[in-house]
Amino acid sequence: MWRNSATVSFSSKLLSYSSSSANPNYFHYASAFSIFSPNGVVDQTLSPSHQRFYCSSAVPSPSPSSGSVIKLGFLANKSDAFRPLCLKARDAVQLARHYGRCYWELSKARLSMLVVATSGTGYVLGSGNAVDLAGLCYTCAGTMMVAASANSLNQVFEINNDAKMKRTRLRPLPSGRIAIPHAVTWASSVGFAGTALLAWKANMLAAGLAASNLVLYAFVYTPLKQIHPVNTWVGAVVGAIPPLLGWAAASGQISLNGLILPAALYFWQIPHFMALAYLCRDDYAAGGYRMFSLADASGRRTAAVAFRNCLYLIPLGFIAYDWGVASGWFCVESSVITLAISAAAFSFYRDRTTQKARRMFYASLLYLPVFMSGLLFHRLSDNLQCLAENPNSIVELPSFPEAVTESEEDDQKKKVRYVTAGPQGRAPVAYASIAPFPFLPVPSYVDQ
């Protein structure tokens, strides 16, 4: 009771002082202290410009001096002048966060980053002895933008289906957080930018693969999901193209060695998606999707398809070793992890339950990063691949090779040629080295 009377008396004194002053700014300062609360907190029900500040002490505070009142009145006016700018800045930050979150969900950012990882792995494998880090970054950035565009268009086309599924009804488009024209503009912009970046910084082959994959995913795979169960195999082709894109961006061509990782991606996606479709088949049925598991009530065919494609992964480690892409250790590691995912698929085949399907799904999530990491760690450079493919192509060189001097005026421009026996069907191998590094051979094959 005494505290309330003390605060009221202080308020009345301050109001009387401000009213007697000629400067109207004093009243604004006094009004800020006109009502006090015994709890010592700000009244949140009032507007920010009229919130009251309360004293938590039981002893009444002394009346402020005229100088402090003038100073505080000036600061109050100054804060009022800057308040609209602060509100605009806060609104801009909230708007950026809102659309940033919407773009993140439209792009399915985690799935897009997985696509980028496979493309980057393909780039490193196709780079040979040295990896161009700038080219790798450009390739990953372009792949990310194209993948974001494809996923965004996928959600634009499936907005009605997503609204019917529990797993997808809170996405930006079904929930109304972003308009369809806005999403289409976003998807078109990033898709065009990503393709242009790949064409500019990589090559036209990589850009063509990216554009074709976007069209295949958004305009073939997406509508096919509501028409026929073959959509799973079409989606597997979509997932196999990014590592081939990375290989093409690094080497400028598509070779047989570059098909090992795409083949692994293709066969891996079948058990991965079969497990997911089995776990979410009620949700897929509600959304109107024609998945393979919906026509298989017992789940036996779904599990058999998953197990069969796991077995297709077993020879890839041996092929990578036989073709000189990776060392023998990768062959062993690949066999171990492939047998592990095959065991999970076989367990699901024998006992078709949700627990077994989830176990196979988690095994597929573990398989891919381990396979790609092993392939990167045990990969062979171009020179070692040449030795692996043609072990008899290099013979012992003589102690004093014949030197051919192209320019007698400059001794630093010497070119020494070593001629050795070449592989069958080709001319002898010429190893050329230029001073001051005369012992770094650069192999060059000339077809007959």
Side-chain angles (χ1 to χ4, degrees):
M1 185 69 183
W2 177 85
R3 182 183 301 175
N4 293 336
S5 63
T7 55
V8 171
S9 64
F10 171 68
S11 172
S12 61
K13 289 180 181 179
L14 193 56
L15 286 171
S16 62
Y17 181 82
S18 62
S19 61
S20 63
S21 176
N23 194 339
N25 293 332
Y26 298 152
F27 179 77
H28 179 80
Y29 169 78
S31 64
F33 292 86
S34 59
I35 299 176
F36 285 73
S37 168
N39 296 329
V41 296
V42 180
D43 187 359
Q44 298 295 337
T45 61
L46 303 175
S47 62
S49 60
H50 294 87
Q51 284 180 348
R52 274 70 169 174
F53 297 86
Y54 305 112
C55 179
S56 61
S57 174
V59 181
S61 301
S63 301
S65 62
S66 61
S68 63
V69 172
I70 294 173
K71 182 182 294 185
L72 289 173
F74 174 76
L75 292 176
N77 270 355
K78 190 174 181 181
S79 64
D80 283 346
F82 283 98
R83 185 170 289 110
L85 296 178
C86 295
L87 292 177
K88 291 181 180 179
R90 185 181 64 182
D91 292 343
V93 171
Q94 292 178 351
L95 191 65
R97 287 179 178 176
H98 170 74
Y99 283 114
R101 183 66 181 176
C102 290
Y103 295 153
W104 177 273
E105 295 181 19
L106 282 174
S107 304
K108 299 180 183 177
R110 290 182 294 180
L111 177 61
S112 297
M113 286 188 286
L114 176 62
V115 174
V116 170
T118 61
S119 177
T121 303
Y123 187 94
V124 174
L125 294 175
S127 296
N129 297 327
V131 179
D132 182 10
L133 295 180
L136 175 62
C137 293
Y138 287 129
T139 301
C140 290
T143 305
M144 182 69 183
M145 287 189 282
V146 174
S149 174
N151 289 323
S152 300
L153 290 175
N154 172 267
Q155 294 189 47
V156 169
F157 296 146
E158 295 181 345
I159 178 173
N160 296 327
N161 304 85
D162 289 344
K164 301 175 184 178
M165 299 173 61
K166 296 180 181 179
R167 189 170 57 93
T168 58
R169 64 178 54 173
L170 296 180
R171 285 177 175 176
L173 287 171
S175 61
R177 287 182 286 149
I178 193 172
I180 294 179
H182 193 153
V184 172
T185 303
W186 154 257
S188 303
S189 301
V190 295
F192 178 79
T195 305
L197 181 63
L198 290 172
W200 179 34
K201 292 297 184 179
N203 49 62
M204 292 301 298
L205 178 59
L209 287 172
S212 62
N213 209 29
L214 191 154
V215 172
L216 184 62
Y217 182 80
F219 299 99
V220 178
Y221 167 72
T222 297
L224 197 59
K225 289 168 65 177
Q226 305 177 45
I227 299 175
H228 198 274
V230 76
N231 66 80
T232 302
W233 285 264
V234 177
V237 174
V238 172
I241 290 180
L244 193 62
L245 185 156
W247 181 285
S251 62
Q253 61 181 354
I254 297 177
S255 61
L256 198 59
N257 289 353
L259 297 178
I260 294 177
L261 185 57
L265 263 293
Y266 178 84
F267 294 125
W268 165 82
Q269 286 178 93
I270 304 301
H272 176 78
F273 285 130
M274 288 298 168
L276 182 63
Y278 185 85
L279 293 171
C280 304
R281 49 184 177 175
D282 293 336
D283 221 13
Y284 280 126
Y289 296 114
R290 301 288 301 275
M291 293 299 174
F292 187 81
S293 59
L294 298 183
D296 182 23
S298 65
R300 186 178 184 86
R301 293 173 56 199
T302 302
V305 170
F307 179 63
R308 182 170 65 246
N309 281 270
C310 287
L311 296 179
Y312 294 157
L313 292 169
I314 294 178
L316 293 180
F318 296 94
I319 294 174
Y321 170 68
D322 184 66
W323 290 357
V325 177
S327 65
W329 285 109
F330 174 73
C331 178
V332 176
E333 294 173 0
S334 175
S335 301
V336 171
I337 60 174
T338 304
L339 290 176
I341 190 177
S342 300
F346 183 70
S347 176
F348 174 54
Y349 177 76
R350 292 185 60 186
D351 186 13
R352 293 174 298 279
T353 61
T354 302
Q355 181 182 2
K356 299 294 185 180
R358 185 174 288 109
R359 182 178 299 177
M360 186 181 71
F361 179 77
Y362 289 146
S364 66
L365 292 179
L366 180 63
Y367 173 86
L368 187 61
V370 174
F371 183 88
M372 292 194 302
S373 300
L375 192 57
L376 288 175
F377 186 78
H378 297 292
R379 76 183 185 97
L380 299 177
S381 61
D382 286 346
N383 292 338
L384 294 178
Q385 289 182 27
C386 177
L387 290 175
E389 294 175 0
N390 306 286
N392 298 323
S393 61
I394 298 179
V395 297
E396 184 178 358
L397 299 178
S399 301
F400 301 97
E402 178 185 0
V404 180
T405 305
E406 292 184 342
S407 175
E408 297 179 356
E409 298 177 357
D410 190 357
D411 292 336
Q412 295 298 323
K413 297 180 179 180
K414 290 185 177 181
K415 186 176 181 181
V416 182
R417 297 182 62 85
Y418 304 103
V419 180
T420 64
Q424 185 177 4
R426 292 191 178 188
V429 185
Y431 288 89
S433 56
I434 303 176
F437 305 103
F439 300 103
L440 295 179
V442 181
S444 59
Y445 292 102
V446 181
D447 292 332
Q448 290 182 344

